[in-house]
């Protein structure tokens, strides 16, 4: 008299109108494989006499359990057919006891339950001590990134008044990259519980390049191209500073985020996001408006083209790094940047020498070189790259990128008092458009889900406020 269930599909009983087809002998692995049977469950009818005779049957109890009956049958079919990932205890938890999802990592769930007045309590916003510490470090990192990037840009502008040699300045500053790995090793000795010698740490970080480590072939195929891109990025940026003001240079360089997205979408087949396409369009529109702000003069057009080229080289560097080398740990990144410094010393040194003797970048005496400005620029650029590459250890990556945007108003204020820049309406709109596009590119992939959850939380908060302070009486 009992109702039995078979892997083939429907329960079997003498007074049950089923009308369900038997599924194949192969056990389905997707929910869509048994969707026809699930859709026909609503036509399943159990005779009252059988329910009385089989009142101790678990299947009939599930069927007559109110609004959850159909869900229980679905769970049993999924368990019988071997649907992958099915966990009945997890399903029951999700159906009956699951709390509301958190809209972000900084939120903790409040205890569920009803208050004395019969009103259900809503979750509240909370921040743990670790998250507050991370936010504090984030503010410090933003200030450090902003000050170092804006400071290096302004100091480069000041240096060119006495030392008109952008490529030599690029070469000199890139040589300081050799300090990355020594500085990382000092931090490793101070923080790590397991001390390693320099040789041991070097060999471990060399695994980033493959099983054979850093060989001559790897050096020329995986390090040298990035050394060339690094030099081109910095040289084009510095050369643009000679042509246009630092505000335009800094805001146009923010377009590299849009170029990274476009290249990642094309080369790496990253996920398509409409909001990032909008951001890329805003960046391109900002470039055009920035060119129009100066009246399309040849001097400004060349400068803007140099900045866009620098941003493109930076984007190509990042995308190729992800394509060829993947992601790197802190030690591996430090070793890679130090290798770029070594490549610069060994293979790029000849270019400033050639430029000097051909008088393209010429200075009368070495005593006339402003060594203080050169060293200050190199230290600020080194600080910027250190914070940008290793700041993720103490804060969120998005906050580090925000520091680059904040350098734009800093440069604008400095230019307002030190140069003859004219902030007309077109230039201001272009700056705002490019900055908005940059911020849109910082949105996470699930930004729409987070926004819906945030609005839901805010709506619940307003409902609580209306309950506490009723109006109209």
């Amino acid at each position: 008299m009992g109702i039995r269930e078979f892997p083939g599909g429907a329960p079997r009983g003498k007074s049950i109108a089923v009308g369900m087809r038997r599924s194949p002998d192969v056990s389905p692995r997707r929910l869509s494989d048994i969707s026809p049977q699930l859709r026909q469950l609503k036509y399943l009818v159990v005779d009252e006499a059988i329910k009385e005779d089989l009142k101790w049957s678990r299947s009939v109890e599930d069927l007559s359990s109110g609004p959850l009956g159909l869900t229980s049958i679905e769970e049993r079919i999924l368990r019988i057919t071997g649907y992958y990932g099915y966990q009945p205890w997890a399903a029951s938890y999700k159906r009956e006891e699951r709390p509301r999802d958190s809209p972000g990592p900084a939120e903790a769930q409040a205890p569920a339950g009803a208050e004395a007045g019969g009103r259900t309590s809503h979750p509240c916003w909370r921040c743990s001590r670790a998250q507050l510490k991370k936010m504090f470090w984030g503010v410090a990192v933003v200030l450090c990134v902003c000050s170092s990037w804006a400071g290096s840009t302004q100091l480069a502008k000041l240096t060119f008044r006495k030392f008109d040699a952008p490529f030599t300045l690029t070469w000199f500053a890139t040589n300081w990259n050799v300090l990355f790995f020594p500085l990382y090793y000092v931090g490793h000795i101070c923080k790590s519980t397991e001390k390693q010698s320099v040789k041991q740490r070097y060999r471990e970080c060399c695994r980033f390049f493959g099983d054979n480590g850093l060989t001559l072939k790897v050096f020329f195929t995986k390090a040298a191209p990035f050394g060339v891109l690094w030099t081109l990025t910095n040289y084009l940026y510095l050369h643009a500073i000679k042509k246009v003001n630092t505000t335009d240079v800094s805001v146009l360089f923010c377009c590299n985020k849009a170029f990274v997205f476009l290249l990642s979408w094309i080369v790496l087949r990253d996920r398509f996001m409409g909001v990032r396409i909008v951001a890329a369009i805003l960046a391109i529109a900002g470039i055009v408006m920035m060119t129009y702000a100066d009246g399309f003069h040849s001097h400004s057009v060349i400068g803007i083209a140099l900045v866009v080229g620098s941003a493109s080289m930076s984007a190509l560097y990042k995308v190729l790094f992800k394509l060829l080398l993947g992601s790197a740990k802190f030690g591996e990144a430090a070793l890679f940047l130090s290798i770029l410094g070594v490549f610069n010393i060994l293979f790029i040194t000849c270019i400033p020498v050639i430029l000097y003797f051909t008088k393209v970048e010429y200075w009368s005496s070495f005593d006339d070189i402003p060594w203080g400005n050169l060293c200050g620029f190199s230290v600020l650029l080194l600080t910027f790259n250190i914070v940008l590459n290793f700041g993720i250890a103490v804060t969120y990556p998005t906050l580090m990128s925000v520091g680059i945007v904040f350098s734009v108003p800093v440069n604008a204020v400095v230019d307002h008092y030190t140069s003859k820049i004219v902030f007309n309406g077109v230039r201001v709109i272009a700056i705002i458009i490019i900055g908005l596009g940059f911020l849109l590119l910082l949105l996470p992939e699930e930004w729409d889900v987070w926004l819906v959850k945030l609005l839901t939380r805010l709506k619940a908060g307003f409902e609580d406020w209306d309950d506490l302070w009723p109006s109209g009486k």
Side-chain angles (χ1 to χ4, degrees):
M1 289 292 293
I3 297 178
R4 295 184 180 179
E5 294 151 340
F6 294 88
R12 181 179 298 177
K14 67 177 183 178
S15 299
I16 300 179
V18 178
M20 298 175 62
R21 293 177 299 176
R22 187 178 182 85
S23 62
D25 295 333
V26 180
S27 177
R29 291 300 172 188
R30 297 187 304 272
L31 186 59
S32 59
D33 295 338
I34 58 171
S35 56
Q37 290 88 337
L38 291 178
R39 284 196 298 269
Q40 296 179 41
L41 283 173
K42 60 183 180 180
Y43 301 111
L44 188 144
V45 179
V46 183
D47 187 73
E48 293 296 332
I50 295 182
K51 291 174 66 175
E52 182 66 24
D53 294 339
L54 305 177
K55 61 182 179 180
W56 300 109
S57 170
R58 183 183 181 93
S59 300
V60 175
E61 288 176 355
D62 289 341
L63 232 104
S64 58
S65 57
L68 300 178
L70 183 58
T71 306
S72 301
I73 294 177
E74 292 177 6
E75 293 177 7
R76 296 174 67 82
I77 290 179
L78 292 175
R79 181 172 65 250
I80 293 171
T81 54
Y83 170 62
Y84 69 92
Y86 174 72
Q87 297 175 344
W89 56 89
S92 301
Y93 170 77
K94 291 179 181 179
R95 185 181 69 244
E96 299 173 3
E97 304 174 3
R98 183 179 62 186
R100 298 176 65 181
D101 294 335
S102 132
E107 181 187 356
Q109 296 292 337
E115 296 178 356
R119 178 171 50 87
T120 304
S121 61
H122 296 285
C124 61
W125 293 85
R126 296 178 184 174
C127 278
S128 65
R129 182 177 179 182
Q131 290 167 341
L132 288 175
K133 183 179 179 180
K134 207 168 186 179
M135 292 297 296
F136 171 78
W137 277 109
V139 174
V141 166
V142 166
L143 295 177
C144 189
V145 169
C146 176
S147 59
S148 60
W149 186 239
S152 62
T153 303
Q154 293 295 332
L155 195 55
K157 186 79 171 180
L158 185 63
T159 303
F160 291 147
R161 297 177 182 177
K162 302 178 181 179
F163 184 70
D164 188 9
F167 193 92
T168 303
L169 181 58
T170 301
W171 169 82
F172 183 79
T174 307
N175 289 340
W176 289 59
N177 278 14
V178 297
L179 298 177
F180 268 99
F181 189 75
L183 291 175
Y184 162 76
Y185 183 74
V186 171
H188 166 74
I189 292 296
C190 297
K191 287 292 185 179
S192 180
T193 55
E194 299 180 359
K195 312 297 181 182
Q196 290 180 327
S197 64
V198 178
K199 190 175 182 179
Q200 290 175 335
R201 199 62 190 164
Y202 170 78
R203 288 181 175 177
E204 183 174 338
C205 293
C206 279
R207 296 176 184 174
F208 172 67
F209 298 100
D211 297 334
N212 297 327
L214 182 62
T215 61
L216 195 62
K217 179 181 178 181
V218 169
F219 179 82
F220 283 105
T221 56
K222 293 187 177 181
F226 294 100
V228 174
L229 290 175
W230 181 284
T231 302
L232 286 175
T233 299
N234 288 278
Y235 169 69
L236 294 174
Y237 184 87
L238 293 176
H239 196 70
I241 293 177
K242 293 176 54 182
K243 304 291 184 180
V244 294
N245 57 75
T246 56
T247 303
D248 293 351
V249 173
S250 59
V251 71
L252 288 171
F253 190 78
C254 291
C255 295
N256 77 317
K257 201 78 174 178
F259 299 155
V260 169
F261 162 70
L262 293 175
L263 287 175
S264 300
W265 181 37
I266 297 171
V267 178
L268 303 178
R269 307 295 182 184
D270 279 1
R271 176 186 174 187
F272 173 83
M273 290 183 62
V275 67
R276 293 183 179 177
I277 289 291
V278 173
I281 295 174
L282 290 177
I284 296 172
I287 294 172
V288 176
M289 293 184 66
M290 190 67 72
T291 308
Y292 177 76
D294 289 330
F296 291 97
H297 299 301
S298 60
H299 202 68
S300 62
V301 170
I302 293 174
I304 291 173
L306 290 171
V307 184
V308 173
S310 175
S312 302
M313 293 298 105
S314 174
L316 185 61
Y317 175 97
K318 295 176 181 178
V319 173
L320 287 181
F321 187 92
K322 188 175 181 180
L323 178 65
L324 301 178
L325 299 174
S327 58
K329 300 177 182 178
F330 294 123
E332 297 166 350
L335 178 61
F336 182 80
L337 293 172
S338 293
I339 291 173
L340 296 186
V342 173
F343 170 81
N344 186 76
I345 295 173
L346 294 178
F347 299 98
I348 307 296
T349 303
C350 60
I351 298 180
V353 175
I354 295 173
L355 294 177
Y356 174 79
F357 285 106
T358 55
K359 294 189 178 182
V360 176
E361 293 186 357
Y362 181 77
W363 53 95
S364 58
S365 173
F366 282 93
D367 295 334
D368 297 334
I369 298 177
W371 293 106
N373 290 353
L374 264 67
C375 293
F377 170 78
S378 302
V379 170
L380 287 174
L381 192 61
L382 179 67
T383 303
F384 172 77
N385 286 308
I386 289 176
V387 176
L388 205 62
N389 283 278
F390 304 120
I392 192 176
V394 294
T395 188
Y396 304 102
T398 303
L399 292 179
M400 296 186 295
S401 300
V402 170
I404 300 177
V405 181
F406 284 169
S407 67
V408 176
V410 173
N411 285 320
V413 172
V414 175
D415 285 345
H416 177 71
Y417 289 101
T418 60
S419 64
K420 298 179 181 180
I421 183 174
V422 178
F423 288 100
N424 52 31
V426 177
R427 175 174 273 109
V428 172
I429 293 175
I431 293 174
I432 294 175
I433 287 177
I434 294 176
L436 179 61
F438 187 92
L439 294 177
L440 287 177
L441 289 167
L442 298 180
L443 292 175
E445 293 186 355
E446 301 82 7
W447 69 274
D448 51 344
V449 179
W450 283 29
L451 180 61
V452 171
K453 292 180 179 179
L454 177 61
L455 294 177
T456 304
R457 300 291 181 177
L458 292 176
K459 182 180 179 181
F462 286 130
E463 290 176 355
D464 287 348
W465 182 265
D466 292 338
D467 292 341
L468 290 174
W469 301 95
S471 58
K473 292 185 179 181

